[in-house]
Amino acid sequence: MKKGQNLLGAVILLLILFIGHNYLKSSMLFLRLVLGMTLGYALTRSFMGFAGSVNRAYNTGSTKLMRVLMGMFTATAAISIAFLYNADPASYDLWVNPINLGLILGGILFGFGMTFSMCCASGVLTDLITGLPRAFVTIIFFGMGVFLGYPIQSRAWVKESWFTSETGAKLAGGVYLPDLFKWDGLNGYLGAMIVTGILASIVVWLSMKYEDAKKADGTFKGVGSEIEQYKHTEEEYKPFVFFSEETYKKVFVKPWRMSTGASVIIAVFTVLMGVTKAGWGASTPYGIWFGKALMMFGVAPETLADMSNKAVKAYTSPFFESGINVQNIGIALGTLVCLLLAGSFREVFMSEMKISAKDVVLFAVGGFLMGYGTRLANGCNVGALYTPIANFSLSGWVFLVFLVAGGILGNKVAEKVR
């Protein structure tokens, strides 16, 4: 145990909760802070990240994360039925995104970019603590990509969908799977759930075949964090003592299995659906953050609004009055608290402090491509992948295909330039 870090983690946690409770403008903002911290803690404690689903598979042969994500997507979709079954789906802010060229190109660009930066829109927030130089460069150029991409979101080839459905037309224009199965006796949700399960099973099957092939040809390397998470150790029996080092390690130090982290993320998503009538998003505010940074150098908010097709208020509103802003900051804070309570903060924080000029260029390119890609695809790995699939949008599965394609292409290019 590293008692200094552990104590500091407890103090910072209490301080964050005190400040959030007393100084955030509403209880909803405080809830967003708590949910964000929970997401950050879960992602860090379970070594999870959406970018790793492709990068780990390509570089190590392990597809365990991809398989866990498929289970998480399917379970979240099933839980969403509890909210949607007796309600008008159009009354929720469901992310039934359009299926078009923008979605395809956005998926490719995002997948390519996350290879260079080794993170995604949510991962860059946890990486502000675990890999500061890389994350700092990435988030600056991610924000630039989002900001410059704002105007293109109003273009027809990004906004209008090639395919739509009745409910989808009332939302963002995409295909809402339950609309295709209204004859199934359960308002379309039985059919939609079966399709979701089949598509997830296909991804799992392909993942297993790929991993088996890597093991067969001797190129499977495995992931160190996954080995640590899933190793089984025989422990000598000791009577349970609540106030003991062993108990502390079990509660705060021992890595969670990815399935545990996924369960916590599902719980947070469920609360978001119930309270906000929307899922999890992360990337859109990064462009606003970039604009606010430009204001520090004298750029007028009116100029920013004209450049980005946004309202002036988007750049002049107080930062901590935006729910997504607070939630995103909470993700980084959750990571900080997790590492301090585990006693690993100093080691992890210092592990990526040295980067080369080439690294800076790669992270900048990766960040920009991801940011711009989110505007084409109307979201990132949470806004164009996880939330749409959980909302029964066909667009999420289309995005996944081109995300993986972009990730493979990006990894091939990265091998040559690194």
Side-chain angles (χ1 to χ4, degrees):
M1 289 178 62
K2 297 182 179 179
K3 295 183 179 179
Q5 288 191 42
N6 303 153
L7 180 59
L8 181 59
V11 170
I12 289 178
L13 174 59
L14 293 175
L15 186 61
I16 292 170
L17 294 176
F18 175 81
I19 292 174
H21 179 269
N22 289 282
Y23 293 99
L24 287 175
K25 198 169 183 179
S26 68
S27 60
M28 179 63 76
L29 290 173
F30 183 50
L31 175 63
R32 289 279 198 167
L33 175 64
V34 173
L35 293 178
M37 290 182 67
T38 305
L39 288 170
Y41 188 95
L43 289 167
T44 304
R45 185 80 182 268
S46 58
F47 297 100
M48 284 185 67
F50 294 91
S53 61
V54 179
N55 291 342
R56 289 187 192 181
Y58 186 91
N59 293 306
T60 72
S62 173
T63 61
K64 188 180 292 291
L65 177 55
M66 177 66 83
R67 288 179 274 130
V68 169
L69 290 178
M70 290 304 105
M72 185 176 81
F73 295 171
T74 304
T76 309
I79 292 172
S80 296
I81 297 174
F83 299 101
L84 302 171
Y85 187 80
N86 288 316
D88 176 10
S91 68
Y92 280 76
D93 185 15
L94 301 182
W95 296 13
V96 186
N97 294 340
I99 300 171
N100 51 35
L101 182 60
L103 181 68
I104 293 171
L105 293 178
I108 293 172
L109 289 178
F110 196 91
F112 192 101
M114 73 183 188
T115 297
F116 279 21
S117 291
M118 296 179 286
C119 63
C120 60
S122 55
V124 73
L125 297 169
T126 63
D127 289 353
L128 286 171
I129 309 300
T130 63
L132 178 59
R134 172 170 53 83
F136 184 70
V137 174
T138 296
I139 202 167
I140 289 173
F141 286 89
F142 197 124
M144 179 190 293
V146 173
F147 179 81
L148 295 177
Y150 280 145
I152 206 168
Q153 283 190 281
S154 61
R155 302 287 181 87
W157 62 278
V158 174
K159 188 176 181 180
E160 297 177 4
S161 183
W162 293 336
F163 314 101
T164 190
S165 66
E166 181 181 348
T167 302
K170 298 176 183 177
L171 295 164
V175 176
Y176 185 59
L177 290 176
D179 285 345
L180 308 181
F181 302 96
K182 288 189 174 181
W183 43 264
D184 69 4
L186 293 177
N187 297 337
Y189 290 103
L190 176 60
M193 199 65 238
I194 290 173
V195 169
T196 299
I198 290 174
L199 292 174
S201 297
I202 291 172
V203 174
V204 170
W205 179 76
L206 291 173
S207 298
M208 290 295 298
K209 296 293 287 184
Y210 172 83
E211 185 171 316
D212 288 344
K214 286 291 184 179
K215 290 177 177 176
D217 65 17
T219 58
F220 180 86
K221 300 175 184 177
V223 181
S225 61
E226 293 179 3
I227 295 171
E228 180 67 22
Q229 286 170 295
Y230 290 88
K231 73 178 182 181
H232 178 73
T233 56
E234 294 291 340
E235 297 182 357
E236 181 183 351
Y237 171 76
K238 295 180 181 179
F240 174 75
V241 179
F242 185 79
F243 293 104
S244 66
E245 183 173 339
E246 288 77 12
T247 299
Y248 184 89
K249 287 181 177 179
K250 288 180 180 179
V251 175
F252 294 110
V253 180
K254 184 179 179 181
W256 282 352
R257 293 191 172 190
M258 285 187 284
S259 56
T260 302
S263 298
V264 174
I265 293 171
I266 291 170
V268 171
F269 191 101
T270 302
V271 173
L272 283 171
M273 278 290 290
V275 175
T276 70
K277 287 193 169 185
W280 177 16
S283 63
T284 298
Y286 293 167
I288 303 299
W289 296 5
F290 184 80
K292 285 180 176 288
L294 293 179
M295 288 172 60
M296 297 172 63
F297 294 93
V299 181
E302 292 79 11
T303 302
L304 296 171
D306 288 340
M307 292 174 62
S308 60
N309 288 344
K310 293 285 183 183
V312 174
K313 185 179 179 182
Y315 299 100
T316 57
S317 296
F319 184 89
F320 287 103
E321 288 186 9
S322 163
I324 300 183
N325 283 350
V326 172
Q327 185 171 291
N328 280 348
I329 296 301
I331 291 174
L333 292 174
T335 298
L336 173 63
V337 169
C338 177
L339 295 178
L340 285 170
L341 291 177
S344 59
F345 170 75
R346 179 177 175 78
E347 177 185 355
V348 173
F349 184 76
M350 297 302 295
S351 64
E352 289 191 37
M353 277 299 165
K354 294 182 179 180
I355 60 173
S356 67
K358 181 186 287 187
D359 289 333
V360 172
V361 173
L362 290 175
F363 301 155
V365 171
F368 183 84
L369 291 178
M370 284 193 291
Y372 199 80
T374 66
R375 298 310 89 197
L376 297 176
N378 291 291
C380 57
N381 277 344
V382 290
L385 178 64
Y386 179 28
T387 294
I389 289 177
N391 288 168
F392 294 109
S393 174
L394 182 60
S395 66
W397 294 105
V398 176
F399 181 81
L400 175 61
V401 171
F402 292 97
L403 173 80
V404 172
I408 293 172
L409 178 62
N411 272 292
K412 288 184 179 296
V413 173
E415 285 179 336
K416 297 181 181 299
V417 301
R418 278 204 170 103

